[in-house]
Amino acid sequence: MPKAKQAVDSLTEAQARDELEKLAQEIAGHDKRYHAEDAPTISDAEYDALRRRNLAIEQRFPELVREDSPSRRVGAPVSEKFEKVRHKVPMLSLDNAFSDEDVVDFVARIRRYLKLDADAPVAMTAEPKIDGLSLSLRYEKGRLVSAATRGDGQEGENVTANARAVTDIPNVLDGEPPEVIEVRGEVYMTHADFFALNKRQEEAGKQTYVNPRNTAAGSLRQLDSSVTAARPLKFFAYAWGEVSDMPSDTQTGMVAALERYGFRVNDLMKRCESAEALLAQYRMIEEKRATLPYDIDGVVYKVDDLALQQRLGFVSRSPRWAIAHKFPAEKATTILNGIDIQVGRTGALTPVARLEPVTVGGVVVTNATLHNAEEIERLGVMIGDTVTVQRAGDVIPQILGVIEEKRPADAQAFEFPSVCPCELKTPVVREGIGSGVEGVVRRCSGEFACPFQRVEHLRHFVSRRAFDIDGLGDKQIEFFFNDPDLPVKAPGDIFTLARRDADNLKKLKDKEGWGATSAANLFDAIEARRSIALERVIYALGIRHVGEQTAKTLARAYGSWQEFHDAVLAVANGDAQAREEMDALDDIGDAVIDSLAHYFGEAHNRELVEALAGEIDVQEAERPTMDSPVAGKTIVFTGALERMSRDEAKAMAERLGAKVAGSVSKKTDLVVAGPGAGSKLKKAADLGVEVIDEDAWFERVGA
Ligand code: IVH
């Protein structure tokens, strides 16, 4: 007989605190046995009684509610959608290596960048690349306070309630963790758990899942955290974000610390001293792959010394100090049923292979890209052929070749169309790539008149790295593009949707596929994006050659929408000085400038841009405001540098808020010259620009 429980009303504060702690542990144990192991040890009624008691005590002593309380863990209030959270330290992605040679190059590149001798050892780690989804967990004073998905690396989704429901993620850290630590790693599902879950789903007549990774992702992004709790998710810790006090100065030391704090870490991580040793560990892990209980898709190499990691920094979104060596792609054979032509945002016509569905590495593949007409010719592929397809990671599947022996008698050759498949049937043009040579890309000449291109432009406009409007994806864009009552034909129309809907007799909420909540949510999400960063706006316009990085450069250089707008219009009108100024920006050359000039030279585009600008509030771009002695200065490095490579020098100056230029001009503030500097030095002297040597540079920036 269990001992009768003391009445909640008569508990002292100390007794209540003790009992809440015990209940938290006890209920967590039952949750684990029930949800993760499918082996409960008490009845549902007994379990409910424990939770009720926990709640009753908490209601009497609200100040004693624990961070890891069961009342917070499961069945937390259902939120409509996840809040966005900005990562203090961005969550980076990794560059890929596909061959041994790529790995050797990677190590050599690191040595060169750090100006180390070719045979100087650089310790690195090799560890499995887990095929799950990354998560950042923030702990303050050892307690989990928030959890966020990677999102676009800058901004993720707040999934704290769900992370608390993952038994592998400690709510309270062990050992002596720093005051603040963001632990990063991968959420995944084991094969056994995946199969068991699918079996349960099937038996219950519910949806089954494609692979463990998608299941893990879907499980973590459940709006109801009790669903997450019922999914057996696991977590490997392998990285970190903000840390108030670093417990170690190496990658291996940090991972060991994470283990002490109570995280599961991967035991296949090894410290290696050479590219050969990395490759040996790669082979070892590759051999083990089939017997591992979870999916991996490669091996990650990282520089072990954190001070060197710091020096190496990153390029755009990937660190220079790490790389993912991917396993070879998986292959299968199937039949090519047909070839469709897809028209992209820039009007490029891409042939897409329609395949007899086939499973490649656990995923059903029905389409593959054929790139262009030359690729079809190179493969010699005909409709009806049996082809080999390959899928690698998230990339679009590709056709590798044709099995000619299996060609049926009625196989048909494919003829590349000479007009766009859109209703305008605009002629297809091939651009020159210089010296009279035609490029391989065929484009519809209709530009914005071509409905395919317009839809693609709109899709790009709302995509994740552009306006990123929740609930406005590919499907909805297509819906609004064709909707007679609430048409969206250009970006600005998105921001007038709510107003137009209010004036319409026929409301969005009454339309097929919509309801009061989804319509209201969409209008809210659009409203939330009315105020937006300049770089996103520039990128969202979808101008050829203006990718995210270029958009960022332009935004930083011009600062405000007005200045950017004036500058591009001036360039479009042939203003030589405006062009020269733009040309002086890092990584911006003729292709970008011509493309901007072409875009803003078209009246139609200008109208579209004005209509949009009238609807939105473009935030000013962040200018480097660091209080470094070189912030805002334009610097030229010349001659041989001895303590760092040219790349490192440039990256360092940029980190400190300076701009690095390739040539000396009136705008140059400082020239850093090493031995052998020539004409640039002379020009600096002529213009009276300050010149210092490498040592003085280090002194000035205090490094
Ligand atoms: S390190 C700065 N280590 O791969 C680098 N990533 O393509 C931070 N991943 O978003 C990542 N296993 O989701 C690292 N052992 C591992 C990993 C790993 C899987 C994922 C992670 C990341 C993606 C990068």
Side-chain angles (χ1 to χ4, degrees):
M1 265 282 282
K3 184 166 87 187
K5 289 258 163 79
Q6 193 181 340
V8 171
D9 278 343
S10 69
L11 289 174
T12 65
E13 194 177 315
Q15 285 172 324
R17 183 177 290 120
D18 273 350
E19 200 179 336
L20 285 177
E21 186 181 348
K22 288 203 188 90
L23 281 166
Q25 278 174 10
E26 200 180 341
I27 294 173
H30 290 309
D31 283 343
K32 183 158 173 245
R33 284 186 288 279
Y34 180 86
H35 294 303
E37 295 159 11
D38 246 358
T41 51
I42 56 169
S43 70
D44 287 358
E46 286 163 336
Y47 175 80
D48 286 343
L50 288 176
R51 292 187 69 102
R52 274 201 306 276
R53 171 124 185 133
N54 185 71
L55 205 62
I57 302 177
E58 285 184 345
Q59 272 163 359
R60 205 183 135 213
F61 297 103
E63 69 285 4
L64 295 186
V65 176
R66 300 167 59 85
E67 212 59 78
D68 63 346
S69 162
S71 63
R72 296 194 174 191
R73 230 181 146 91
V74 183
V78 177
S79 60
E80 271 308 307
K81 45 182 181 276
F82 297 102
E83 235 179 85
K84 294 246 157 79
V85 255
R86 241 193 134 66
H87 300 298
K88 283 227 180 86
V89 178
M91 288 182 81
L92 304 176
S93 52
L94 294 170
D95 245 1
N96 292 326
F98 294 101
S99 64
D100 290 6
E101 210 185 346
D102 289 351
V103 177
V104 172
D105 283 352
F106 164 70
V107 177
R109 208 157 52 232
I110 286 179
R111 286 213 179 88
R112 254 198 324 274
Y113 189 92
L114 296 170
K115 276 227 149 179
L116 300 176
D117 286 340
D119 49 0
V122 195
M124 304 231 189
T125 55
E127 69 199 59
K129 182 167 190 295
I130 316 296
D131 198 9
L133 71 149
S134 47
L135 189 66
S136 186
L137 305 164
R138 187 177 174 89
Y139 290 83
E140 291 174 7
K141 298 195 169 55
R143 290 176 176 277
L144 178 64
V145 294
S146 67
T149 60
R150 178 168 179 274
D152 64 2
Q154 305 291 335
E155 220 176 54
E157 283 176 326
N158 183 342
V159 290
T160 313
N162 291 351
R164 287 191 206 284
V166 176
T167 38
D168 236 17
I169 295 177
N171 267 316
V172 179
L173 298 182
D174 294 336
E176 287 168 18
E179 175 95 5
V180 174
I181 181 165
E182 281 174 9
V183 178
R184 292 175 176 179
E186 203 83 355
V187 173
Y188 67 98
M189 195 179 269
T190 64
H191 298 140
D193 287 338
F194 167 69
F195 290 125
L197 173 67
N198 255 358
K199 190 153 166 257
R200 284 203 300 275
Q201 294 284 111
E202 202 176 314
E203 279 164 8
K206 291 192 192 151
Q207 157 214 11
T208 55
Y209 299 93
V210 194
N211 59 34
R213 192 179 93 103
N214 289 356
T215 320
S219 304
L220 192 71
R221 295 188 70 261
Q222 288 291 331
L223 291 174
D224 177 354
S225 55
S226 63
V227 177
T228 312
R231 304 280 173 82
L233 296 175
K234 297 211 153 49
F235 182 79
F236 272 129
Y238 53 66
W240 54 91
E242 191 184 349
V243 181
S244 57
D245 185 13
M246 293 288 280
S248 169
D249 54 12
T250 60
Q251 181 75 32
T252 32
M254 284 299 289
V255 172
L258 297 179
E259 190 171 19
R260 288 200 300 279
Y261 303 153
F263 290 96
R264 189 198 292 267
V265 300
N266 197 287
D267 58 3
L268 293 173
M269 180 170 93
K270 192 173 174 211
R271 189 170 176 277
C272 305
E273 297 254 333
S274 65
E276 293 68 39
L278 291 175
L279 292 170
Q281 182 67 2
Y282 172 86
R283 304 234 147 77
M284 201 279 267
I285 294 175
E286 192 180 27
E287 258 171 45
K288 278 219 150 119
R289 184 183 187 190
T291 58
L292 290 177
Y294 47 86
D295 279 344
I296 64 173
D297 58 351
V299 175
V300 183
Y301 307 132
K302 300 172 186 167
V303 169
D304 195 36
D305 182 336
L306 301 186
L308 294 185
Q309 285 192 3
Q310 177 87 26
R311 272 181 67 192
L312 286 155
F314 39 89
V315 216
S316 136
R317 283 191 300 276
S318 321
R320 280 197 195 83
W321 46 265
I323 203 162
H325 189 177
K326 302 298 274 288
F327 292 134
E330 318 224 26
K331 294 175 196 158
T333 58
T334 187
I335 293 165
L336 176 69
N337 287 332
I339 297 176
D340 288 348
I341 296 289
Q342 244 170 29
V343 186
R345 168 165 58 90
T346 58
L349 268 51
T350 307
V352 178
R354 302 291 173 212
L355 304 168
E356 190 61 31
V358 62
T359 307
V360 191
V363 171
V364 180
V365 169
T366 50
N367 300 323
T369 176
L370 279 163
H371 302 289
N372 48 50
E374 280 67 17
E375 176 73 359
I376 296 177
E377 201 170 308
R378 188 185 69 79
L379 289 165
V381 68
M382 294 172 78
I383 296 164
D385 267 342
T386 297
V387 293
T388 340
V389 273
Q390 151 171 309
R391 192 186 68 89
D394 291 335
V395 242
I396 309 167
Q398 295 201 318
I399 295 197
L400 291 182
V402 177
I403 304 177
E404 280 183 28
E405 304 84 84
K406 294 203 174 168
R407 175 164 294 159
D410 60 353
Q412 278 170 22
F414 176 74
E415 206 168 309
F416 208 93
S418 56
V419 296
C420 178
C422 74
E423 67 227 28
L424 303 175
K425 306 225 175 318
T426 9
V428 167
V429 290
R430 279 177 75 168
E431 270 158 47
I433 49 168
S435 341
V437 180
E438 276 187 320
V440 290
V441 180
R442 280 120 178 115
R443 264 177 231 285
C444 161
S445 51
E447 294 214 18
F448 226 82
C450 167
F452 286 131
Q453 291 184 59
R454 296 175 75 167
V455 172
E456 287 307 320
H457 263 282
L458 287 165
R459 283 186 171 155
H460 169 79
F461 184 83
V462 298
S463 64
R464 208 161 67 144
R465 297 187 175 280
F467 267 68
D468 189 21
I469 298 174
D470 271 339
L472 197 55
D474 285 0
K475 246 176 48 202
Q476 291 79 10
I477 285 291
E478 191 124 15
F479 167 88
F480 285 116
F481 190 79
N482 296 312
D483 190 68
D485 306 306
L486 266 184
V488 169
K489 302 283 186 194
D493 298 345
I494 294 170
F495 292 94
T496 60
L497 271 177
R499 291 206 297 273
R500 287 186 285 143
D501 191 52
D503 294 341
N504 278 355
L505 244 44
K506 189 156 185 196
K507 304 286 182 205
L508 179 62
K509 68 180 170 60
D510 301 322
K511 292 202 173 221
E512 167 109 28
W514 294 88
T517 318
S518 59
N521 282 348
L522 175 67
F523 295 148
D524 284 352
I526 293 173
E527 207 44 49
R529 281 305 200 187
R530 209 178 273 278
S531 166
I532 187 140
L534 177 57
E535 62 196 57
R536 281 192 184 254
V537 179
I538 299 176
Y539 172 67
L541 294 176
I543 301 167
R544 273 180 77 195
H545 303 300
V546 182
E548 225 187 333
Q549 200 55 41
T550 307
K552 214 175 251 179
T553 307
L554 290 165
R556 291 224 176 106
Y558 293 103
S560 70
W561 169 255
Q562 197 55 50
E563 277 195 43
F564 166 74
H565 185 248
D566 291 350
V568 282
L569 284 188
V571 173
N573 287 329
D575 180 328
Q577 196 189 331
R579 187 175 177 111
E580 200 176 307
E581 277 173 18
M582 198 175 278
D583 201 24
L585 300 176
D586 243 7
D587 297 328
I588 291 192
D590 285 341
V592 172
I593 301 177
D594 288 344
S595 180
L596 282 165
H598 174 76
Y599 185 92
F600 283 89
E602 295 272 337
H604 173 87
N605 291 336
R606 283 199 304 274
E607 267 166 40
L608 172 154
V609 166
E610 304 313 337
L612 172 68
E615 287 296 331
I616 59 174
D617 164 26
V618 186
Q619 300 153 9
E620 303 232 324
E622 268 175 49
R623 304 236 195 191
T625 50
M626 288 166 255
D627 63 356
S628 97
V630 294
K633 300 238 152 71
T634 301
I635 299 177
V636 173
F637 290 95
T638 179
L641 299 176
E642 276 152 4
R643 293 169 59 184
M644 55 186 171
S645 63
R646 191 61 71 81
D647 283 346
E648 185 175 2
K650 180 163 184 280
M652 182 176 181
E654 283 171 356
R655 249 198 325 268
L656 293 164
K659 223 165 72 184
V660 177
S663 57
V664 178
S665 72
K666 289 197 300 274
K667 289 192 189 156
T668 313
D669 295 299
L670 181 67
V671 172
V672 181
S679 62
K680 288 183 191 165
L681 208 51
K682 186 172 172 300
K683 180 122 190 241
D686 290 348
L687 292 170
V689 175
E690 186 187 6
V691 180
I692 59 175
D693 67 10
E694 199 181 352
D695 286 339
W697 160 258
F698 276 103
E699 226 164 83
R700 179 159 307 187
V701 299

